[in-house]
Amino acid sequence: MNRPYRCFIAHDLDPDNRALLRSGALSLVLHHDLSADLRRSCHALLQAHHLLPDAPHSLPSNIHPITPHNLPT
């Protein structure tokens, strides 16, 4: 459509996306804590197999928007 883009958004704060944020090629990265997601998933599986109390339930991932201005060191 030959339109200029105002921003570029990516997913996961890996080394490549960190470099792209620093250079200004990316505007925003949607980052989430994969280890926390895995921990919650394992917990729900254990609950589903009655190895932990309570019924399993899903929780949304905490997504953190990362920009060049709040990029962690």
Side-chain angles (χ1 to χ4, degrees):
M1 299 184 116
N2 212 14
R3 286 189 248 173
Y5 291 98
R6 293 184 184 174
C7 68
F8 284 97
I9 300 173
H11 184 263
D12 285 335
L13 194 57
D14 59 19
D16 292 332
N17 285 343
R18 285 177 179 271
L20 290 169
L21 274 172
R22 279 190 213 101
S23 73
L26 278 179
S27 308
L28 177 81
V29 171
L30 299 174
H31 176 66
H32 59 96
D33 185 349
L34 292 174
S35 61
D37 290 345
L38 181 59
R39 186 172 38 256
R40 284 196 299 264
S41 297
C42 289
H43 194 91
L45 280 171
L46 291 171
Q47 287 174 322
H49 289 280
H50 307 289
L51 299 171
L52 287 177
D54 300 327
H57 59 281
S58 63
L59 295 171
S61 291
N62 293 321
I63 297 175
H64 306 281
I66 306 294
T67 69
H69 305 289
N70 69 343
L71 182 62
T73 56

